[in-house]
Amino acid sequence: MLTLAQDFIPPHIRPALHGARPLTEVQTYRYPGGTWRRYDRLAHHPDGLLVLGDALCSLDPINGQGMTMATLHATTLRDELCRTNQVDPPAFYTAIAAITTPVWASNAQQPSGRDHTSSSPLSGRAIAWTRRKVLEAAEDNMNVTE
């Protein structure tokens, strides 16, 4: 890791890295699965509550889409406020669901092996299965991890 870090760590940090000692053993990647809280399906929305970002939908961080989703949620909120100067929660959550659905479908196959969508395409399931198997192998095999 130090050899790799030499290429992008500022020179004044390098001596500290060479003298550093690990505080714990190396940990492997494990993610229990994503959560999508379906506020778009609520019959009644609590007054004064508007949920977006990871509080609405948390995704597997290995895909790197969490910040993008939060930004899209915030942009949707901004657009709603610019258009009407207020937020209609059912309309807002319906718009958010339209943004979230395709991303959720691509993230639906969690490392635990649970498929959270019944209609994901075969290619998506194959990619998710392969990714899960690689991550599982990386838990115990440093060559796969590298």
Side-chain angles (χ1 to χ4, degrees), residues 73-135:
H73 294 173
T75 302
T76 303
L77 176 59
R78 180 201 61 199
D79 293 347
E80 178 80 4
L81 288 170
C82 287
R83 192 172 54 76
T84 65
N85 203 29
Q86 60 184 6
V87 177
D88 173 32
F92 174 74
Y93 290 123
T94 298
I96 293 297
I99 293 166
T100 304
T101 297
V103 179
W104 181 258
S106 72
N107 281 266
Q109 184 70 32
Q110 299 300 329
S112 65
R114 296 181 325 235
D115 186 357
H116 293 285
T117 115
S118 59
S119 62
S120 62
L122 180 59
S123 62
R125 290 190 312 239
I127 290 168
W129 180 87
T130 303
R131 180 180 342 144
R132 182 171 38 89
K133 290 299 182 185
V134 169
L135 289 172

Side-chain angles (χ1 to χ4, degrees), residues 8 34 40 118:
F8 62 88
D40 58 306
S118 59

Side-chain angles (χ1 to χ4, degrees), residues 36-42 45 56 93 97-98 100-101 104:
W36 182 5
R37 294 170 183 87
R38 298 301 304 260
Y39 287 88
D40 58 306
R41 295 180 178 168
L42 285 179
H45 293 87
L56 179 77
Y93 290 123
T100 304
T101 297
W104 181 258

